Amino acid sequence: LFVCLFVWIGMESSALPSGWSEKMSRSRGIPYYVNQYTNESVWERPTEPAQQRKADEVRASHILVKHKDSRRPSSWKEEHITRTKEEAVAILKQYRDDIVNGVKSFDEIAKTESDCSSAKRGGDLGMFDRFTMQKPFTDASFALQVGEISGIVDTDSGVHIIIRTA
């Protein structure tokens, strides 16, 4: 135990490779490491510098409001969605106004109101390339600057607002 503790303490005191930060897990009580460019996390202490995102990838979060004509009109919140597209757009416009006016954060609204399963991550979809998402969603995500929030984006899944995060 003494040797293991000594090795672990010794590792902790050495500098991390560039682009990584160390955080403490609240659930496990052990450190984990975050790539400062992509926000990806790993449990094992990195030995190489963090890789920056590829030029053809973005990271974004979104809030999805489905409607009765969505390709799958159900979600974790509602088994059968009956609202019209116009009602969904009105709801989403109100969410966007609340975010822009500082009433609530994007993350707060996404966690409680988004019809996507990404709600549990504050709407975070992680990194994706130009071929992963539906075309209107991809086009909007790549057109945004980091930190910018889109207008209403219409896809087969429903209507979205998107914030580009990387």
Side-chain angles (χ1 to χ4, degrees), residues 3-15 45:
V3 172
C4 291
L5 184 59
F6 178 76
V7 169
W8 186 76
I9 290 171
M11 286 179 63
E12 175 133 23
S13 65
S14 64
R45 186 178 180 84

Side-chain angles (χ1 to χ4, degrees), residues 123-139:
D124 184 16
L125 297 168
M127 300 296 290
F128 57 91
D129 62 22
R130 292 185 180 274
F131 308 103
T132 305
M133 306 294 180
Q134 295 174 53
K135 185 167 177 19
F137 192 96
T138 297
D139 291 348

Side-chain angles (χ1 to χ4, degrees), residues 33-154:
Y33 306 93
V34 179
N35 178 321
Q36 295 174 339
Y37 305 115
T38 65
N39 278 338
E40 292 176 275
S41 61
V42 296
W43 290 107
E44 290 187 30
R45 186 178 180 84
T47 57
E48 301 291 325
Q51 297 294 311
Q52 294 190 25
R53 68 177 177 84
K54 298 174 187 171
D56 60 341
E57 288 185 325
V58 297
R59 183 175 189 154
S61 296
H62 76 134
I63 299 169
L64 168 65
V65 178
K66 292 184 174 187
H67 50 81
K68 65 184 177 118
D69 297 318
S70 297
R71 75 173 165 196
R72 194 176 69 80
S74 65
S75 76
W76 66 274
K77 291 174 40 180
E78 281 180 83
E79 189 175 337
H80 186 67
I81 295 172
T82 59
R83 74 178 68 91
T84 65
K85 183 177 178 179
E86 292 74 24
E87 290 169 327
V89 167
I91 291 166
L92 204 52
K93 283 182 178 178
Q94 184 61 57
Y95 295 159
R96 190 179 192 289
D97 288 348
D98 288 350
I99 294 163
V100 170
N101 294 322
V103 176
K104 285 189 173 183
S105 71
F106 194 100
D107 184 70
E108 285 176 295
I109 294 173
K111 283 181 178 176
T112 59
E113 305 303 327
S114 181
D115 284 320
C116 182
S117 61
S118 68
K120 61 184 164 263
R121 296 182 305 278
D124 184 16
L125 297 168
M127 300 296 290
F128 57 91
D129 62 22
R130 292 185 180 274
F131 308 103
T132 305
M133 306 294 180
Q134 295 174 53
K135 185 167 177 19
F137 192 96
T138 297
D139 291 348
S141 298
F142 276 83
L144 294 170
Q145 297 297 312
V146 173
E148 186 179 6
I149 300 173
S150 72
I152 305 297
V153 177
D154 186 9

